[in-house]
Amino acid sequence: MADRVLIIDFGSQVTQLIARRVRENGVYCEIVPFNKAEEILTKFSPKAIILSGGPASVTAADTPRAPQGAFELGVPVLGICYGQQTMCAQLGGRVSTSDHHEFGRAEIEVLKDCRLFDGVWRPGERHTVWMSHGDRVDRLPPGFSVAAASPAAPYAVACDESRRFYSVMFHPEVVHTPDGGKLLKNFTHRIAGCHGDWSMAHFKTDAIAKIRAQVGNARVLCGLSGGVDSSVAVVMLHEAIGSQLVAVFVDHGLLRANEAQEVVELFRDRFNIPLVHADAGALFLERLRGVTDPEAKRKIIGATFIDVFEAEAKKAGGADFLAQGTLYPDVIESVSFAGGPSVTIKSHHNVGGLPARMKMKLVEPLRELFKDEVRALGRELGLPDRIVGRHPFPGPGLAIRIPGEIDQVRLDILRRADTIFIEEIRNAGLYDAIWQAFTVLLPVRTVGVMGDARTYDHVLALRAVTSVDGMTADFFHFDMEFLGRVATRIVNEVRGVNRVVYDVTSKPPGTIEWE
């Protein structure tokens, strides 16, 4: 078994980034909420433990704490921000609310050598880090010493090297701490002794064995959307159990141009996977007729998806298991601070829940992976780059790209414009530099002049964002020549559009999916 690190989550918006950085260094890790950590601590057998940041104050009553067993396992522990504070408070130090807060970039001074700094920082140097704290440690626990300080955090880095306990007031997991990834690697590799040998090839072998052990000889149904997650899940399942898998592709008629045909051809012809193609576009459009509220649209699409999926499952003879492309961010999101896991079919398929009447057990072969890891697994499984590298396109599809009422005319306009936008992005060699790009048919019309005639037609918005992790995003900085070329093509080639605008808003932190 590969070395494993356990991350105990106290509610930070960027806890997922800790896991990302650790896995990028070849070490497998999982995140568990603080209130569920004690029950899995010994069962997980971690080689090291990381305590995340969080919004609470250690100085208040009834705020989160780490299980005491985390400090008694004899493994290295790293506390980050709130993690540092609760570690110090629980081990005999003191935390207080400071008048001098630090939010954003800060400079710390390295005061002495520390194994966390090996090959990265030296005494006397100053380094930029990212802070986000109001409270601070003002007395260290017995055995700890200060290794670095900032103006508002006299114990910005403190450690007890004999017990291999380390704590930092800043966030090494975010890109705004330039050396943060190296510090985390020092903790996992030099201090905890992790080998860094976790890879997608290892994951694939282990995951296939787990699927076979869980499923046995039973039949498995899997909803296929054509997106990255469900595509990788279907191919993985087929490699594990072959003809026991029945993949159901619910074609809701809200996909991009030619995507339904591509899905059918790829999975039936190239991978020889038994595929049920349910062409339900007319049913979805009928149920969406006259609906303008975006959340109502999502619910209708989710409920209709389940109705169609359930009907096709019955036609196929039923199954004991339902497989879905749940990713690790979905798991983290559903296992909330105060709540527990929820059973839902992933939102890129629909936005409803799994009905109890279906009485199927879940198989989630990707639930331990992040998006970029799923892409790597897809390449390991032989999926083409056009599928593996596809931008996220959530299940409601074009329905949420049309504010207001949906009909076939608007869908056709949006589909043609979207095809031009993506085609030009690919022609310019920009597709892989963009996290997600799409068009939106705005619920407004403008007066314009085209040739010698006055027009009264739709306004179309272009949207493209960059992101490293899907947690935050910024608009992509196209040059004006590119935008002019796209706008000209759309206005000339798509009847019904006379104006094109580019959306330059950014995505705030703390959300997973950009819709």
Side-chain angles (χ1 to χ4, degrees):
M1 181 185 292
D3 298 325
R4 307 204 293 179
V5 171
L6 185 66
I7 300 169
I8 298 177
D9 180 26
F10 293 102
S12 169
Q13 290 186 2
V14 292
T15 298
Q16 289 189 47
L17 298 186
I18 304 173
R20 290 289 299 275
R21 302 295 172 255
V22 171
R23 290 188 182 186
E24 284 167 3
N25 290 326
V27 179
Y28 181 71
C29 62
E30 289 188 16
I31 300 170
V32 60
F34 75 94
N35 54 355
K36 298 181 183 295
E38 188 167 10
E39 62 192 74
I40 75 160
L41 199 56
T42 54
K43 183 169 58 176
F44 188 78
S45 299
K47 198 153 186 180
I49 295 169
I50 298 176
L51 310 178
S52 85
S57 172
V58 172
T59 62
D62 301 323
T63 49
R65 296 291 183 270
Q68 203 60 32
F71 307 112
E72 298 169 357
L73 279 182
V75 301
V77 181
L78 171 65
I80 296 174
C81 196
Y82 184 92
Q84 180 196 55
Q85 296 167 17
T86 193
M87 171 192 278
C88 289
Q90 290 180 241
L91 294 177
R94 187 177 63 201
V95 176
S96 64
T97 299
S98 172
D99 292 332
H100 189 169
H101 299 175
E102 282 183 311
F103 294 99
R105 286 182 177 83
E107 190 174 77
I108 65 171
E109 180 182 0
V110 180
L111 303 178
K112 71 165 196 171
D113 283 323
C114 166
R115 291 186 67 192
L116 202 62
F117 304 157
D118 283 355
V120 185
W121 291 349
R122 295 179 180 177
E125 294 178 344
R126 293 180 177 272
H127 292 278
T128 299
V129 297
W130 188 264
M131 294 281 195
S132 181
H133 68 94
D135 295 349
R136 71 178 187 183
V137 176
D138 60 11
R139 186 182 69 211
L140 292 175
F144 277 72
S145 60
V146 60
S150 75
Y155 304 120
V157 180
C159 56
D160 180 341
E161 303 234 57
S162 64
R163 289 187 287 178
R164 297 185 297 173
F165 290 167
Y166 298 82
S167 67
V168 297
M169 193 68 260
F170 58 88
H171 287 271
E173 69 272 29
V174 302
V175 295
H176 309 297
T177 299
D179 295 320
K182 296 175 184 177
L183 299 178
L184 286 170
K185 187 173 183 178
N186 274 349
F187 176 72
T188 56
H189 289 59
R190 290 176 181 250
I191 295 169
C194 296
H195 293 92
D197 55 1
W198 185 71
S199 68
M200 274 303 112
H202 290 134
F203 177 86
K204 172 187 164 184
T205 301
D206 291 345
I208 287 173
K210 286 179 183 177
I211 292 168
R212 289 171 178 164
Q214 180 184 5
V215 170
N217 296 320
R219 281 163 55 87
V220 179
L221 281 169
C222 184
L224 174 64
S225 71
V228 178
D229 308 338
S230 67
S231 297
V232 172
V234 163
V235 175
M236 168 83 87
L237 286 157
H238 189 249
E239 188 158 329
I241 60 175
S243 60
Q244 293 168 237
L245 171 70
V246 177
V248 178
F249 170 42
V250 177
D251 180 359
H252 49 41
L254 304 170
L255 296 171
R256 286 170 159 156
N258 302 318
E259 280 194 341
Q261 181 183 345
E262 289 176 5
V263 169
V264 173
E265 289 178 353
L266 176 67
F267 291 95
R268 277 187 182 164
D269 300 342
R270 176 166 176 172
F271 287 99
N272 197 29
I273 293 173
L275 179 66
V276 175
H277 178 199
D279 186 354
L283 174 63
F284 278 83
L285 263 186
E286 174 62 31
R287 293 191 178 180
L288 288 166
R289 182 177 297 162
V291 179
T292 58
D293 179 73
E295 192 58 29
K297 291 179 189 176
R298 292 174 61 87
K299 290 178 179 177
I300 288 169
I301 292 168
T304 306
F305 177 96
I306 287 181
D307 288 346
V308 175
F309 186 86
E310 187 175 17
E312 294 299 331
K314 288 178 181 176
K315 291 179 191 176
D320 296 315
F321 290 89
L322 173 71
Q324 61 186 50
T326 309
L327 303 194
Y328 202 44
D330 304 310
V331 176
I332 297 165
E333 192 174 16
S334 67
V335 184
S336 64
F337 218 51
S342 59
V343 181
T344 56
I345 295 180
K346 218 174 152 243
S347 65
H348 81 247
H349 294 309
N350 63 78
V351 291
L354 177 64
R357 65 178 180 272
M358 293 184 74
K359 296 180 180 177
M360 287 191 284
K361 292 168 280 190
L362 282 178
V363 180
E364 298 173 309
L366 310 180
R367 66 178 283 114
E368 298 167 358
L369 301 182
F370 290 96
K371 190 78 169 189
D372 57 333
E373 295 169 337
V374 173
R375 296 188 198 278
L377 177 60
R379 294 185 180 97
E380 188 75 27
L381 290 163
L383 276 159
D385 279 342
R386 192 170 182 88
I387 295 292
V388 172
R390 180 172 286 172
H391 291 169
F393 193 63
L398 298 179
I400 55 169
R401 312 296 186 218
I402 303 177
E405 187 174 357
I406 300 168
D407 58 32
Q408 195 61 58
V409 172
R410 290 181 176 88
L411 282 172
D412 289 343
I413 291 172
L414 184 59
R415 208 173 261 124
R416 287 197 295 270
D418 186 81
T419 299
I420 292 170
F421 187 33
I422 299 301
E423 183 179 287
E424 288 293 337
I425 286 173
R426 288 191 183 278
N427 290 344
L430 299 173
Y431 190 84
D432 292 336
I434 295 170
W435 170 263
Q436 188 181 41
F438 53 85
T439 54
V440 178
L441 191 63
L442 299 178
V444 294
R445 288 182 144 188
T446 62
V447 175
V449 175
M450 298 178 68
D452 296 321
R454 187 177 297 277
T455 64
Y456 181 63
D457 277 326
H458 294 281
V459 178
L460 188 97
L462 308 178
R463 176 78 170 140
V465 296
T466 58
S467 180
V468 174
D469 44 53
M471 296 290 290
T472 60
D474 193 11
F475 67 92
F476 187 80
H477 293 252
F478 289 118
D479 60 47
M480 292 306 296
E481 182 181 349
F482 174 88
L483 291 174
R485 183 166 63 249
V486 173
T488 299
R489 278 198 63 190
I490 289 173
V491 170
N492 286 340
E493 298 176 32
V494 182
R495 186 178 296 276
V497 176
N498 70 358
R499 182 156 291 136
V500 176
V501 297
Y502 184 53
D503 181 358
V504 295
T505 54
S506 297
K507 176 187 176 184
T511 51
I512 300 297
E513 209 167 31
W514 184 254
E515 297 187 359

